[in-house]
Amino acid sequence: MTDREPPAWLWLKERLARLRQSTAPGRFGTEPAPIAVRTAIVTDSAAALPPEWVKAFVSDGCLAVVPMPVMVGEEIYGEGEDDITETLSVALAAGSSVKTSRPSPGQFEQAYLAARARGFEAVVSIHISAGLSGTADAARLAAQRVPIPVEVIDSRTVGMAQGMGVQSALVAAADGRSAAEVRRFAEERLARTKVYFYVPSLEQLRRGGRIGTAASWLGAMLSIKPILAVDDGKIVPLEKVRSAAKAVARLEEIVAADVTSRPEGQSRLAVHHFGNLAEAERLAARLRENCDGCPPAQISALPAVLAAHAGLGVLAVVVGESSTPGATALPAPSQA
């Protein structure tokens, strides 16, 4: 399923393209003053940003995505650097050892120094919830070592919920806002996101320490199909349903109710899957029917660093809000 890009992202791409061009004299011999993009954005691969979308902004230097390592057996793969999807799928199906880790502080240090070398004045670094990973801590360690100001944000979420915060930061940065203003806008948008998901089994979450052993045992014994959420940076149980079909149907209802509770026409959806694309496409189609005024959901595979814990067959829905450029969406500029 191919979805149209929201107007904010088309605006952002056009604006950055104009900034790449040399300014030409105006009609009356005056040169227009371009808006300088002073702040670069750094994130990690748990943000689940679409690869084709990332390429457009990485080429400008205004975005860097630090890969998160995934260990399958004795092999270490870098999310976004190695093609790990098939290897991970086979490992999960076989019950093989799969682990994840945070990037090293040195990787973030390199990203921050690269931003400085390209002329940026500051960096806003947005990362997977500290309740699920030590990535933000690694970023803070790196921030102390570099001669460029770095604002580190614990997104308190994962997947495209984190990605929506990154996209919002890019919108504010492209509007010439300061690092503090970019951070404020990103945090405001992040606070407006929710992640709901269904997993066929709790076993992978138990192995990774994301839920307790008792919850995993209960789910297996009673054939319960859990609906979970990310709340305040941690995975929490939302509801327990007796069958997979009922769990997916209930997931749709929860998402539709969330969309209805938000300002009309402002909601955005993303659907994540791993090993079950057709099921994700059907879910997205039903959400489009049931969520009036909401644009089609973006569909993408869950990043390997998250799929390693969620397992095969996961269905996740992210609900966020638009970051449309304009006086009502962007933070008021500082007077300094």
Side-chain angles (χ1 to χ4, degrees), residues 59 62 65 68 79 84-85 104 145 161 191 198 204 224 233 248 271:
S59 62
C62 55
V65 181
M68 296 187 69
E79 177 89 63
I84 188 179
T85 302
S104 69
R145 303 175 183 173
Y198 153 74
Q204 281 301 122
I224 286 173
V248 175
V271 174

Side-chain angles (χ1 to χ4, degrees), residues 145-167:
R145 303 175 183 173
V146 295
I148 181 174
V150 180
E151 299 266 359
V152 177
I153 298 177
D154 169 7
S155 72
R156 307 194 70 76
T157 190
V158 295
M160 264 304 295
Q162 176 186 340
M164 288 177 184
V166 173
Q167 291 176 327

Side-chain angles (χ1 to χ4, degrees), residues 3-174:
D3 300 330
R4 293 179 298 174
E5 291 183 297
W9 315 138
L10 294 175
W11 172 89
L12 180 55
K13 286 184 176 181
E14 290 171 0
R15 184 164 211 138
L16 290 172
R18 288 198 301 271
L19 291 171
R20 284 197 299 266
Q21 300 169 356
S22 299
T23 55
R27 287 182 59 188
F28 303 104
T30 59
E31 291 190 358
I35 294 178
V37 180
R38 298 174 287 167
T39 304
I41 312 301
V42 173
T43 190
D44 54 69
S45 54
L49 292 163
E52 65 281 2
W53 195 93
V54 169
K55 289 177 183 177
F57 299 106
V58 167
S59 62
D60 287 287
C62 55
L63 172 66
V65 181
V66 175
M68 296 187 69
V70 178
M71 289 156 279
V72 180
E74 299 298 319
E75 296 293 324
I76 300 177
Y77 300 86
E79 177 89 63
E81 295 178 325
D82 303 306
D83 187 2
I84 188 179
T85 302
E86 184 175 352
T87 300
L88 179 60
S89 297
V90 171
L92 289 172
S96 302
S97 174
V98 177
K99 298 179 181 179
T100 61
S101 182
R102 72 180 192 181
S104 69
Q107 289 173 276
F108 290 114
E109 188 173 351
Q110 291 176 8
Y112 302 154
L113 291 175
R116 181 174 184 265
R118 296 192 70 151
F120 291 97
E121 299 174 5
V123 174
V124 171
S125 205
I126 304 173
H127 300 293
I128 180 175
S129 170
L132 302 174
S133 170
T135 300
D137 287 338
R140 291 188 183 98
L141 286 172
Q144 296 171 6
R145 303 175 183 173
V146 295
I148 181 174
V150 180
E151 299 266 359
V152 177
I153 298 177
D154 169 7
S155 72
R156 307 194 70 76
T157 190
V158 295
M160 264 304 295
Q162 176 186 340
M164 288 177 184
V166 173
Q167 291 176 327
S168 298
L170 281 164
V171 166

Side-chain angles (χ1 to χ4, degrees), residues 242-257:
R242 290 287 182 175
S243 71
K246 290 181 179 179
V248 175
R250 182 60 185 140
L251 179 63
E252 294 172 28
E253 293 174 352
I254 291 169
V255 171

Side-chain angles (χ1 to χ4, degrees), residues 263-280:
E264 185 176 356
Q266 289 296 302
S267 296
R268 293 178 58 205
L269 298 178
V271 174
H272 290 312
H273 62 89
F274 196 76
N276 52 335
L277 173 59
E279 191 175 11

